[in-house]
Amino acid sequence: MARIALVDGNSFYASCEEAFQPWLKKRPVVVLSNNDGCIVAANARAKQLDAWLAQQSIQLGQGGFKAARPTSLMYQPYFKVAPYLKEMGAAVFSSNYELYADMSARMHSLLGQCAPRQEIYSIDECFLDLAGLEVADWTEYGRGIQSRIAQGLGLPVAVGIAATHTLAKLANHLAKRTPAYAGVLDLAALSESAKAAIFATVPVSSVWGIGQRLTRRLHAMGVETVRDFIRCDPRQIRRRFSVREEKILRELRGESCLSALDPDGPNQQIRVSRSFGQPVTQWAALAEAMSAFAQRAGEKLRRQNATCQAVNVMLRTNPHAPDFYQAQATQPLVQPTQDTRWLIKQGKALLAGLWQPERAYRKVQVTLSHIQQVGPCQVDCWASDVGPVASENASVLMATMDELNKKMGRGAVQFAAAGMRESPRSWQMRRSHCSPRYTTRWDELMKVH
């Protein structure tokens, strides 16, 4: 029988902080979103604070994110829960994206050695195709993965094993939430009656790919649990919804139909944006931020060996202010490109048309669209300015920059328009509780005395 494993880091951001400060495992730990806005990660001890809030009859009200609940600290604005976190002795961290990204790369590298094929799904998740491996006990195999990541990186992971991607995702969900499984569950080893009993207790909303809107529609059909959904007629599901929902159903029945990777090629859009740590009023700072985002978007574009043929820039002020201003503009490109120089040039031209000097801006966003794989393209012989894409050296220059940044760390080599990495940037995120970037900065290496 074919087997797929989903390996997922437990409370990944918080676990990365604990890996370098092990004493934190005895304390509640939370990690904040951009600009120290909302709680986006918490370790097990921090999540236990929800029970304390309930005992104190404390309702937190509407949260900062849609997923927030009045009875839970997760996704709530930090200023709301800060007094309670302080009272419970919690450790609070700003998002240390440099550390998390590097730890993610290391984790995925180790996991890639555990199976013939790997599909990286997110910063803390990947699927492993176990076909061809001769393993007597898959649960022990999962425990071996846990041990390898714990020993190599100090990170806890959960492992779900099943016949399809959707079932593996569900197995991982159950492995995390059922203490008896100790973080590893091989669904394929269970009998059909045992799986049916488990599925009868799992809400259909727990299935990978079934969101809130689809859940409401399924509930209207009387489908409340995973077992209810499995019992549906695939043809009826396809007629009422789409082929995607039919594939989810077939996957739950053990028929492999989906992949973690997009079968249609690269992402159709690449979007890079950040809310500023403080309002930006100067053109130079705003242009620098936009250039940095365009540079990052270009890196992502080249990473998937693709080009784009349209650039969009969006600019906005504080959405809660009475004089809220938001505008965006798109520039189609004559030729498809992946050259950061051209992306920055077009982005600046668009930004200049949106800029209003008297305003204080809180966010800028760069979006690349009309994305396609690198390949032959029709050249416009009459175009007066097709940009550096026409240069034979453009791809060599971009590849060289990417390779240097890969070896020496992101931002080691970059365009002057994006500013200097070491110089203060007024538009950078506010990160008042950021831990050291232990693995990517020489001056922030952990010191042992």
Side-chain angles (χ1 to χ4, degrees):
M1 175 188 291
R3 271 181 167 84
I4 301 290
L6 175 68
V7 185
D8 180 16
N10 297 342
S11 303
F12 186 72
Y13 288 3
S15 295
C16 287
E17 302 292 351
E18 292 176 355
F20 290 91
Q21 303 180 65
W23 52 88
L24 291 175
K25 294 179 182 180
K26 298 181 180 180
R27 294 176 60 189
V29 176
V30 299
V31 179
L32 307 178
S33 63
N34 295 348
N35 295 309
D36 296 342
C38 300
I39 295 176
V40 292
N43 67 357
R45 287 182 177 270
K47 292 175 181 177
Q48 291 173 1
L49 295 181
D50 291 350
W52 180 83
L53 292 173
Q55 292 174 357
Q56 304 297 317
S57 301
I58 297 173
Q59 291 283 320
L60 298 174
Q62 186 67 32
F65 291 173
K66 289 182 179 180
R69 303 193 314 273
T71 56
S72 174
L73 62 85
M74 287 299 297
Y75 309 114
Q76 291 286 350
Y78 174 55
F79 73 87
K80 275 189 179 182
V81 297
Y84 310 123
L85 293 172
K86 184 177 181 179
E87 184 174 345
M88 301 302 291
V92 179
F93 293 94
S94 304
S95 289
N96 189 338
Y97 293 118
E98 297 89 343
L99 175 65
Y100 307 152
D102 187 67
M103 292 292 282
S104 170
R106 293 168 187 253
M107 183 181 77
H108 288 314
S109 177
L110 286 176
L111 292 173
Q113 301 169 23
C114 297
R117 185 167 178 262
Q118 178 186 34
E119 295 175 287
I120 297 175
Y121 180 57
S122 70
I123 191 171
D124 62 345
E125 293 177 276
C126 77
F127 289 93
L128 301 177
D129 187 344
L130 308 179
L133 296 181
E134 295 183 4
V135 176
D137 188 332
W138 288 104
T139 299
E140 286 304 310
Y141 172 85
R143 305 231 182 276
I145 290 178
Q146 285 183 312
S147 298
R148 186 165 190 170
I149 302 303
Q151 182 177 9
L153 296 171
L155 298 175
V157 298
V159 184
I161 303 174
T164 69
H165 287 77
T166 304
L167 283 173
K169 185 82 169 172
L170 186 58
N172 185 280
H173 170 82
L174 295 169
K176 281 187 171 184
R177 286 157 179 76
T178 310
Y181 297 136
V184 179
L185 173 59
D186 177 15
L187 266 182
L190 302 181
S191 66
E192 291 301 319
S193 59
K195 285 189 285 189
I198 292 173
F199 293 162
T201 66
V202 181
V204 70
S205 58
S206 299
V207 175
W208 183 38
I210 297 184
Q212 294 183 358
R213 185 178 301 177
L214 180 56
T215 297
R216 290 193 294 268
R217 295 180 65 186
L218 289 171
H219 284 175
M221 295 171 53
V223 177
E224 300 284 341
T225 67
V226 174
R227 185 176 67 175
D228 295 336
F229 189 49
I230 290 175
R231 289 176 173 176
C232 291
D233 182 351
R235 293 170 296 181
Q236 180 190 17
I237 293 297
R238 182 170 185 170
R239 284 195 300 268
R240 296 194 64 162
F241 301 101
S242 72
V243 66
R244 174 180 170 275
E245 285 72 24
E246 180 192 9
K247 286 182 176 180
I248 293 174
L249 173 55
R250 293 188 181 277
E251 284 252 329
L252 289 173
R253 291 183 171 187
E255 180 182 343
S256 183
C257 304
L258 298 172
S259 168
L261 304 181
D262 181 4
D264 297 322
N267 296 329
Q268 296 307 299
Q269 282 192 338
I270 292 176
R271 181 175 291 118
V272 179
S273 68
R274 286 285 186 276
S275 295
F276 302 144
Q278 58 187 15
V280 173
T281 58
Q282 301 298 315
W283 162 260
L286 195 64
E288 183 180 273
M290 189 286 305
S291 299
F293 297 163
Q295 180 174 264
R296 181 70 181 130
E299 292 171 356
K300 292 184 176 184
L301 188 66
R302 292 189 295 275
R303 188 180 302 159
Q304 61 183 42
N305 192 34
T307 61
C308 72
Q309 207 163 350
V311 179
N312 174 277
V313 172
M314 185 276 289
L315 185 64
R316 81 176 190 191
T317 60
N318 185 347
H320 305 292
D323 60 343
F324 172 60
Y325 168 75
Q326 176 173 309
Q328 62 178 315
T330 301
Q331 176 61 55
L333 306 180
V334 177
Q335 302 292 153
T337 187
Q338 57 174 206
D339 193 311
T340 298
R341 294 173 295 173
W342 195 234
L343 301 179
I344 291 176
K345 180 177 180 179
Q346 296 301 317
K348 277 190 172 182
L350 292 171
L351 188 67
L354 304 175
W355 160 261
Q356 294 184 4
E358 71 279 5
R359 298 187 181 276
Y361 298 96
R362 297 305 301 258
K363 184 176 184 178
V364 68
Q365 175 178 286
V366 175
T367 304
L368 308 182
S369 57
H370 297 275
I371 293 174
Q372 57 190 335
Q373 292 284 6
V374 171
C377 65
Q378 182 65 48
V379 177
D380 188 341
C381 299
W382 306 106
S384 59
D385 186 5
V386 298
V389 70
S391 169
E392 294 181 0
N393 296 325
S395 60
V396 176
L397 174 62
M398 293 299 105
T400 302
M401 287 187 63
D402 292 341
E403 185 62 25
L404 287 171
N405 285 323
K406 182 179 179 181
K407 289 183 178 180
M408 302 175 67
R410 184 188 301 169
V413 180
Q414 61 182 23
F415 290 92
M420 302 300 293
R421 185 174 67 173
E422 304 300 335
S423 62
R425 295 167 170 175
S426 61
W427 51 269
Q428 282 187 314
M429 285 187 299
R430 182 173 63 254
R431 296 197 289 181
S432 304
H433 310 278
C434 197
S435 58
R437 293 161 287 188
Y438 302 103
T439 62
T440 58
R441 296 292 294 268
W442 288 107
D443 57 337
E444 296 181 24
L445 284 174
M446 182 171 286
K447 298 177 182 178
V448 179
H449 300 281

